[in-house]
Amino acid sequence: MIFKNDINYRKETLVKLLNCVQNHEQEIIKALYDDFKKPAFESVATETSFILAELKYTIKNIHNWAKPKMVLPSIFNFPSTDYIYKEPYGKVLIIAPWNYPYQLALSPLIAAVAAGNQVVLKPSELTPNTSRIISKIISETFDKNHVTCIEGGVDVAQELLTQRWDYIFFTGSVPVGKIVAKAAATHLTPVTLELGGKSPCIVDESANIQLAAKRIVWGKFLNAGQTCIAPDYLMVHQNVKEKLIENLKLEITNGYGENPEISPDFARIVNEKNWNRLAAMLENETILLGGKASIEDCYIAPSLVDEPSLDSLVMQNEIFGPILPIISYKTEEDLDKIISKYEKPLSLYIFSENKSFAKRIVQNYSFGGGCINDTLIHFTNKRLPFGGVGHSGIGAYHGKFSFAIFSHRKAVVKKGNWLDLPTRYAPYNGKLETIKRLLKWFS
Ligand code: NAD
């Protein structure tokens, strides 16, 4: 039996959630600041306003998305009317990360509820203040049997993964994504995996360098680089490298001042473990700007690293912090050697005025999504599916795609009884030629 398969009920709870998150907006912003000094501007722009928009859009469209869709019938079934029903999977587990701890927990939750599922959400233990307010919002809005928030760390996530779920939605790192996929396989549970990886950013010699620098600095240093779709490393045509570096330095200083450590607009690294990982990436590298790292405050300066080796720490793994390696290239073969060294990325960015170059890159490489002449903004259009491919993830969400991933599409044919052609029934004697002719006509 499907739990509360009533669209009005789902809509009412989403309206209740909308009111609740609006009432708690200041607490959410404060929690994000307490967790890693996330600036209020960034919290509103990338967390709370995103969730408000997603909620309003879902509330507006839920009836349309949920109703059975009639499709053209097959002539072979004549007379029939054919439908796709959107069926909730049932019990859904959502495991969320810490980097956009509010948005990445609530966004899949809204869709899972809209699609009619029961939900258990486990937010990240690394942002405890935000997890606490999420838990409070959920307990104020939902019946416990409908949606529950379970706070806790790896042990809690592991325990949850031993149970049987009808769907698992996971956002986090590639290694943990594999653990989730293995656990899901035990019960053949379908999954969405929103993972990470090294997202390249290419600056061609035809690019508008000044604008490219501004948009790269914004996309890279927002949230102190702790963004799954941030440009991970930069590949710049050798003829424009110096000009780009000059502009990158200028934009960093314009945005965060001579000393970003005292800028109110620059977040901190989430914890010491991640700080240590990032500080190690800066060792033995040629630093063009930044490079300062102080553990007391988990601060790492916006840093530009010149021509690291592909075997260096900074080029081996996803950076996930405010460090931008810059590698020059001469030919498209050079580009190919670097991009092809890594797994399919979550994002790819191209800065170029050369349309055929940009088109070739988009068509020749597999990646989750991306932009030409900007960074990150593909994430913000709810009409675009957001997700990875290969090691950067399985499945895509946002807007109507979110509703779709949390719904099983059930195909139902309603056959008319006023006509019953005898051709398909045994005995088949003498019917072979007729069926061959019919199949030829109608296929
Ligand atoms: P993480 O994989 O360490 O943790 C994510 C969640 O999994 C947390 O709730 C954590 O408690 C749980 N978890 C951790 N270890 C576990 C284990 N062994 N077994 C079961 N559960 C476990 O990721 P993170 O550090 O929170 O986030 C950073 C990573 O997430 C980066 O790789 C980033 O690219 C990726 N990310 C991807 C997206 C996306 O939309 N594709 C968004 C944000 C972050």
Side-chain angles (χ1 to χ4, degrees):
M1 188 67 176
I2 295 169
F3 177 84
K4 303 234 185 193
N5 197 9
D6 170 356
I7 294 151
N8 288 327
Y9 173 78
R10 302 181 204 170
K11 190 170 172 176
E12 275 161 28
T13 55
L14 290 175
V15 170
K16 209 168 153 194
L17 180 61
L18 176 65
N19 291 331
C20 190
V21 297
Q22 277 171 329
N23 290 341
H24 288 298
E25 184 164 13
Q26 287 316 311
E27 280 171 78
I28 299 162
I29 293 168
K30 183 177 180 311
L32 287 160
Y33 184 82
D34 291 345
D35 280 330
F36 59 110
K37 289 207 173 147
K38 183 158 178 148
F41 177 91
E42 290 187 9
S43 293
V44 171
T46 67
E47 307 248 16
T48 55
S49 64
F50 184 94
I51 290 303
L52 288 179
E54 193 84 359
L55 264 167
K56 288 177 186 165
Y57 189 65
T58 307
I59 289 165
K60 187 171 157 209
N61 288 290
I62 185 170
H63 276 284
N64 185 28
W65 294 338
K67 73 178 179 217
K69 291 265 174 330
M70 208 196 319
V71 297
L72 282 178
S74 163
I75 191 77
F76 298 111
N77 298 334
F78 184 81
S80 79
T81 36
D82 296 14
Y83 300 91
I84 303 172
Y85 283 80
K86 320 294 170 50
E87 179 183 286
Y89 276 104
K91 291 191 171 68
V92 169
L93 173 64
I94 296 173
I95 301 181
W98 56 264
N99 62 325
Y100 288 81
Y102 174 71
Q103 188 227 112
L104 294 173
L106 267 280
S107 178
L109 181 132
I110 293 164
V113 169
N117 298 282
Q118 288 168 279
V119 184
V120 170
L121 166 70
K122 198 212 75 70
S124 175
E125 69 281 16
L126 301 192
T127 41
N129 296 294
T130 312
S131 295
R132 211 166 302 129
I133 180 73
I134 290 173
S135 181
K136 184 171 160 190
I137 287 168
I138 286 174
S139 62
E140 282 179 16
T141 306
F142 298 99
D143 177 308
K144 282 205 292 301
N145 294 324
H146 186 193
V147 181
T148 322
C149 178
I150 301 183
E151 291 177 74
V154 175
D155 50 336
V156 171
Q158 283 171 339
E159 171 57 31
L160 287 167
L161 286 171
T162 61
Q163 297 180 26
R164 182 170 180 162
W165 301 93
D166 298 304
Y167 202 93
I168 300 177
F169 186 104
F170 171 79
T171 308
S173 61
V174 176
V176 181
K178 290 181 186 174
I179 294 173
V180 172
K182 266 190 199 155
T186 314
H187 297 293
L188 292 179
T189 300
V191 289
T192 293
L193 301 177
E194 294 285 339
L195 310 176
K198 284 188 91 60
S199 297
C201 178
I202 303 164
V203 182
D204 168 43
E205 59 181 329
S206 70
N208 176 335
I209 298 296
Q210 217 179 342
L211 203 51
K214 195 184 258 185
R215 292 175 179 173
I216 292 167
V217 165
W218 171 73
K220 178 69 187 186
F221 300 110
L222 182 88
N223 216 35
Q226 302 164 114
T227 302
C228 55
I229 50 172
D232 185 276
Y233 62 99
L234 209 57
M235 288 176 290
V236 54
H237 193 279
Q238 60 178 21
N239 293 348
V240 291
K241 182 182 171 192
E242 287 316 310
K243 192 172 171 198
L244 180 70
I245 290 174
E246 202 181 294
N247 279 274
L248 288 170
K249 287 179 177 173
L250 196 69
E251 289 303 332
I252 292 172
T253 313
N254 284 345
Y256 305 107
E258 291 292 340
N259 179 9
E261 198 165 2
I262 54 169
S263 165
D265 299 326
F266 190 65
R268 291 300 181 261
I269 305 308
V270 73
N271 63 7
E272 287 192 7
K273 188 175 166 206
N274 275 282
W275 183 92
N276 282 321
R277 188 180 59 75
L278 290 163
M281 286 182 182
L282 288 169
E283 277 168 26
N284 306 319
E285 297 295 348
T286 307
I287 311 289
L288 298 169
L289 184 80
K292 185 173 178 197
S294 39
I295 195 157
E296 302 78 51
D297 198 19
C298 279
Y299 170 74
I300 302 241
S303 303
L304 303 177
V305 171
D306 194 27
E307 304 289 348
S309 136
L310 295 189
D311 298 324
S312 62
L313 269 184
V314 78
M315 288 306 291
Q316 268 174 28
N317 300 304
E318 178 183 6
I319 297 169
F320 218 56
I323 303 172
L324 184 61
I326 303 169
I327 299 169
S328 54
Y329 73 90
K330 192 172 172 190
T331 64
E332 287 185 36
E333 288 70 42
D334 297 340
L335 273 183
D336 185 58
K337 271 189 209 137
I338 302 171
I339 300 174
S340 303
K341 182 177 153 62
Y342 300 101
E343 295 290 348
K344 294 175 183 176
L346 185 57
S347 297
L348 186 147
Y349 304 108
I350 307 151
F351 286 86
S352 176
E353 296 290 315
N354 178 341
K355 285 186 188 156
S356 65
F357 171 77
K359 192 171 166 193
R360 258 195 319 280
I361 298 290
V362 168
Q363 290 182 342
N364 287 352
Y365 295 98
S366 179
F367 55 94
C371 312
I372 298 167
N373 293 326
D374 213 331
T375 60
L376 314 189
I377 57 169
H378 59 300
F379 187 90
T380 60
N381 182 354
K382 51 190 171 294
R383 284 171 287 276
L384 289 174
F386 176 78
V389 57
H391 278 222
S392 56
I394 297 174
Y397 73 132
H398 286 181
K400 69 174 184 184
F401 304 103
S402 296
F403 186 92
I405 59 164
F406 286 111
S407 309
H408 162 60
R409 279 165 300 161
K410 187 157 70 179
V412 176
V413 173
K414 186 169 165 248
K415 181 80 177 173
N417 285 345
W418 58 271
L419 180 69
D420 194 34
L421 295 172
T423 330
R424 65 174 151 149
Y425 300 112
Y428 303 130
N429 193 14
K431 293 180 181 170
L432 185 60
E433 285 313 309
T434 316
I435 197 77
K436 272 187 183 167
R437 234 175 294 128
L438 280 172
L439 287 169
K440 202 170 161 194
W441 282 342
F442 294 119
S443 58

